């Protein structure tokens, strides 16, 4: 995996998704195929089918640069879609049977939460980390206590997804400014652009600091 991939397909659920969301555009190099709701054997098959499709597609374009992230266990979104913890046995079988570059795991995290009260199963994360060498991914970080995110990074998480964290900040800024300025807020570029820009910039800095990524960010921006 590399930070050189600017476009990411997130949570494709099927080969059809890969075709319609990604290969048809030709701009993606990083693919997250999510078969975590399937039985393990079917998840493995979906992941391998994705790899075969991407390898064939990229070779036809005389390229061979793509990465695949998969998910085992299951990171749910609500009581109707509960999370199921990842097991060491599944990790071992999955990595042996596929060509994934990164693996999203379920250790107490849930998609779409807002309150930042969730605690993670750090001992399980540590056992998984000691059991495999590929990068591990944490989805649903927006509802996790900040100190738990830091512990996750210290104990083997390489990539953290932060979508809800930024969506909430964006929405709060829109609502606050609409209350203060009314419809005029949406009609004048000079009114709506600065607060949105400043909010998202502040949140990006906050997340970079939380993840301990200041040096990595400095090295990326200084090379551009």
């Amino acid at each position: 995996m590399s930070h050189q991939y600017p476009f990411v397909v997130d949570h494709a659920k099927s080969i059809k998704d890969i075709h319609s969301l990604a290969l048809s555009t030709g701009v993606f190099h990083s693919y997250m195929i999510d078969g975590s709701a399937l039985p393990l054997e079917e998840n493995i098959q979906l992941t391998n089918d994705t790899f075969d499709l991407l390898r064939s597609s990229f070779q036809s374009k005389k390229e061979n640069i793509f990465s695949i992230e998969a998910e085992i266990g299951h990171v749910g979104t609500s009581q109707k879609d509960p999370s199921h913890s990842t097991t060491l046995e599944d990790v071992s079988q999955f990595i042996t049977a596929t060509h994934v570059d990164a693996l999203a795991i379920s250790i107490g995290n849930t998609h779409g939460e807002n309150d930042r009260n969730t605690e993670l199963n750090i001992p399980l994360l540590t056992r998984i980390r000691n059991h495999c060498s590929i990068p591990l991914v944490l989805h649903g970080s927006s509802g996790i206590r900040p100190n738990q995110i830091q512990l996750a990074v210290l104990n083997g998480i390489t990539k953290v997804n932060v979508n809800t964290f930024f969506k909430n900040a964006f929405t709060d800024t829109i609502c606050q400014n609409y209350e203060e300025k009314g419809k005029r807020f949406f009609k004048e570029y000079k009114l709506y652009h600065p607060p949105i820009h400043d909010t998202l910039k502040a949140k990006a800095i906050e997340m970079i600091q939380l993840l301990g990524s200041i040096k990595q960010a400095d090295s990326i921006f200084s090379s551009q």
Side-chain angles (χ1 to χ4, degrees):
M1 292 251 302
S2 169
H3 63 257
Q4 67 181 317
Y5 306 136
F7 297 104
V8 180
V9 173
D10 189 31
H11 287 284
K13 301 289 188 179
S14 65
I15 293 296
K16 182 180 178 180
D17 285 346
I18 296 294
H19 272 292
S20 61
L21 296 175
L23 294 180
S24 61
T25 66
V27 300
F28 294 93
H29 286 79
S30 183
Y31 299 82
M32 196 271 154
I33 182 70
D34 183 4
S36 63
L38 302 171
L40 182 64
E41 292 294 341
E42 293 181 29
N43 192 356
I44 289 172
Q45 187 62 56
L46 175 61
T47 304
N48 284 335
D49 289 346
T50 299
F51 175 82
D52 291 341
L53 173 64
L54 293 175
R55 180 174 59 179
S56 174
S57 176
F58 276 81
Q59 284 179 345
S60 70
K61 296 184 292 185
K62 298 184 178 180
E63 295 183 64
N64 196 29
I65 303 175
F66 64 89
S67 69
I68 296 177
E69 175 188 326
E71 180 179 318
I72 59 172
H74 178 60
V75 181
T77 57
S78 66
Q79 292 182 349
K80 294 182 179 180
D81 179 28
S83 296
H84 303 290
S85 294
T86 304
T87 68
L88 290 178
E89 294 78 11
D90 286 354
V91 169
S92 179
Q93 185 176 345
F94 196 90
I95 291 176
T96 301
T98 65
H99 299 277
V100 292
D101 300 286
L103 192 62
I105 59 174
S106 178
I107 52 173
N109 41 317
T110 303
H111 285 295
E113 294 205 337
N114 304 317
D115 295 336
R116 307 193 83 177
N117 288 322
T118 300
E119 292 197 7
L120 299 174
N121 188 339
I122 299 299
L124 175 58
L125 166 61
T126 302
R127 292 195 295 272
I128 294 172
R129 173 73 287 159
N130 292 337
H131 201 69
C132 72
S133 59
I134 66 172
L136 298 177
V137 182
L138 183 67
H139 291 179
S141 71
S142 300
I144 299 170
R145 292 182 180 179
N147 72 309
Q148 292 286 296
I149 294 177
Q150 292 175 324
L151 282 173
V153 171
L154 289 173
N155 285 277
I157 289 294
T158 301
K159 173 175 171 270
V160 179
N161 288 14
V162 294
N163 179 48
T164 301
F165 182 75
F166 283 93
K167 285 200 300 186
N168 288 343
F170 177 86
T171 302
D172 290 346
T173 298
I174 292 289
C175 291
Q176 179 183 343
N177 279 272
Y178 179 73
E179 288 178 0
E180 295 173 356
K181 303 177 179 67
K183 293 182 180 179
R184 188 166 61 95
F185 174 68
F186 294 103
K187 294 181 179 180
E188 298 182 29
Y189 175 83
K190 291 183 180 180
L191 282 180
Y192 71 74
H193 183 269
I196 293 173
H197 177 273
D198 292 345
T199 294
L200 296 182
K201 177 181 178 181
K203 290 298 178 181
I205 292 172
E206 179 183 344
M207 188 53 62
I208 288 170
Q209 291 173 334
L210 177 64
L211 297 178
S213 300
I214 291 294
K215 291 183 179 179
Q216 289 91 330
D218 286 344
S219 65
I220 291 171
F221 290 122
S222 63
S223 65
Q224 294 179 350

